[in-house]
Amino acid sequence: MDYGQEMNTDGENEPDRRCVDLIVLGISYRSIEADVKKCFEAFGELVFCEIKRDANGQSRGFGFIRFKNYESQLAVINKRHFIDGRHVDVKIPDSKTSAHEPECARKIFVARLPDNITPDDLRQYFSKYGAIKDVYIPKPARSFAFVTFHDSNVVRTLFGTHIILGCSVTVGPAEPKNKPSAIGDYPSSTFKRAKPDHSSLRTLTAYGASPAHSHYHQQYGQTPNTDMMHTFFQQYGATTTGSPKGPFSNAQQSYWGGTHEEAAAVWQQQQQHYR
DNA sequence: GTTGAGCGTT
């Protein structure tokens, strides 16, 4: 699914100036794609135009369009237009930001947080990177927090170490909510070779990281680093003090072996061990 | 064969 984003004709690769699919509401059941197209092409070139239909081909009265240039999108959005004698509304679809993209994609996990840091502190610090939707700090404090942005694109740029109020904190991707065992959500094709070695703590730790790795891959298309794994373990209260090389030394190689089921089992042991 | 808030079979 690619609508030509790489063309970069109008700065559309910049996070806030990208064209997205727009929902067109209130289309006449009699209208066809050409009618919708004709209406919106007056504002700029479309790369996509579609009316949603049921199994019988009957229009469902709404559809989606996408412009090539952001200026065009700006011109039509949240305005009322007329197609075939009916007014239609154009909006950013809700499905794009909620259902289609999980909330955790817009969320960072902040670890090693001093207990005296407030939500306002975090808001103030991270707002220089992008608009913030929510800041969550558990009560009582547990040395971590979640910061949710409006745009998922800033998230991946923040992974690593940050200094907030003189304290070094670690930022990593947030795991899916209510799913510490959401290992089944990750593509098992990622893990298909070796068997995990239950005899070594190092391997246990490495396997425990695989959901985070996989999640990272799926969400951000990059290979996670040691720092990020560190963050992941802290999320679950695991002891990660000491050299980063410590329990993480063979994380990479182990990550690529083993199955999700195995990783899940080992992860359970891992958590027991650290209690 | 009608209708009129909603959210996308790929």
Side-chain angles (χ1 to χ4, degrees), chain A residues 248-262:
Chain A
F248 307 106
S249 57
N250 51 5
Q252 294 290 344
Q253 68 196 60
S254 296
Y255 162 61
W256 294 112
T259 68
H260 283 103
E261 291 70 29
E262 289 163 339

Side-chain angles (χ1 to χ4, degrees), chain A residues 191-206:
Chain A
F191 305 89
K192 56 170 105 178
R193 270 181 300 137
K195 303 246 184 336
D197 178 6
H198 292 235
S199 64
S200 136
L201 170 61
R202 301 176 143 213
T203 308
L204 294 182
T205 307

Side-chain angles (χ1 to χ4, degrees), chain A residues 1-253:
Chain A
M1 209 191 297
D2 189 337
Y3 303 122
Q5 283 177 68
E6 70 283 346
M7 285 190 187
N8 197 23
T9 36
D10 200 44
E12 65 223 43
N13 276 339
E14 298 167 40
D16 294 331
R17 288 178 53 80
R18 244 181 340 196
C19 291
V20 297
D21 287 358
L22 304 174
I23 189 166
V24 185
L25 265 5
I27 300 172
S28 165
Y29 292 126
R30 306 184 333 264
S31 297
I32 60 173
E33 270 81 356
D35 302 319
V36 178
K37 206 170 169 185
K38 187 180 167 197
C39 170
F40 293 109
E41 273 181 343
F43 297 89
E45 189 179 336
L46 289 172
V47 294
F48 176 72
C49 177
E50 171 189 37
I51 289 177
K52 285 300 169 188
R53 302 173 184 281
D54 63 19
N56 305 320
Q58 169 70 250
S59 168
R60 293 168 64 191
F62 71 93
F64 294 88
I65 60 171
R66 189 182 184 119
F67 282 101
K68 185 176 176 185
N69 295 318
Y70 185 74
E71 303 307 328
S72 311
Q73 173 170 312
L74 270 188
V76 305
I77 211 162
N78 294 334
K79 291 204 184 77
R80 185 156 280 186
H81 302 84
F82 283 88
I83 301 176
D84 291 338
R86 282 187 54 89
H87 68 253
V88 300
D89 293 309
V90 181
K91 301 175 185 174
I92 302 269
D94 292 336
S95 55
K96 201 69 182 180
T97 48
S98 55
H100 216 267
E101 182 182 74
E103 195 196 30
C104 64
R106 289 177 284 130
K107 197 183 285 191
I108 56 170
F109 175 69
V110 188
R112 297 171 163 178
L113 208 59
D115 289 350
N116 62 339
I117 281 201
T118 68
D120 266 356
D121 293 333
L122 292 179
R123 194 174 281 273
Q124 200 161 19
Y125 175 81
F126 284 108
S127 60
K128 68 186 173 199
Y129 298 109
I132 290 174
K133 189 190 173 199
D134 184 59
V135 174
Y136 173 79
I137 297 182
K139 289 186 289 244
R142 289 163 60 195
S143 306
F144 69 82
F146 290 102
V147 178
T148 308
F149 292 86
H150 278 101
D151 186 359
S152 62
N153 290 294
V154 298
V155 164
R156 73 195 73 187
T157 70
L158 298 176
F159 299 158
T161 303
H162 292 253
I163 306 294
I164 304 179
L165 265 52
C167 300
S168 174
V169 307
T170 310
V171 170
E175 284 290 296
K177 202 177 180 181
N178 302 329
K179 286 194 194 173
S181 59
I183 291 157
D185 289 351
Y186 305 109
S188 54
S189 57
T190 315
F191 305 89
K192 56 170 105 178
R193 270 181 300 137
K195 303 246 184 336
D197 178 6
H198 292 235
S199 64
S200 136
L201 170 61
R202 301 176 143 213
T203 308
L204 294 182
T205 307
Y207 271 97
S210 52
H213 269 92
S214 182
H215 172 65
Y216 196 108
H217 253 291
Q218 198 178 32
Q219 292 288 322
Y220 309 105
Q222 311 170 4
T223 303
N225 58 25
T226 305
D227 215 13
M228 181 259 137
M229 292 178 57
H230 209 82
T231 309
F232 177 76
F233 283 112
Q234 293 220 335
Q235 184 172 356
Y236 293 93
T239 303
T240 54
T241 51
S243 160
K245 290 194 170 21
F248 307 106
S249 57
N250 51 5
Q252 294 290 344
Q253 68 196 60

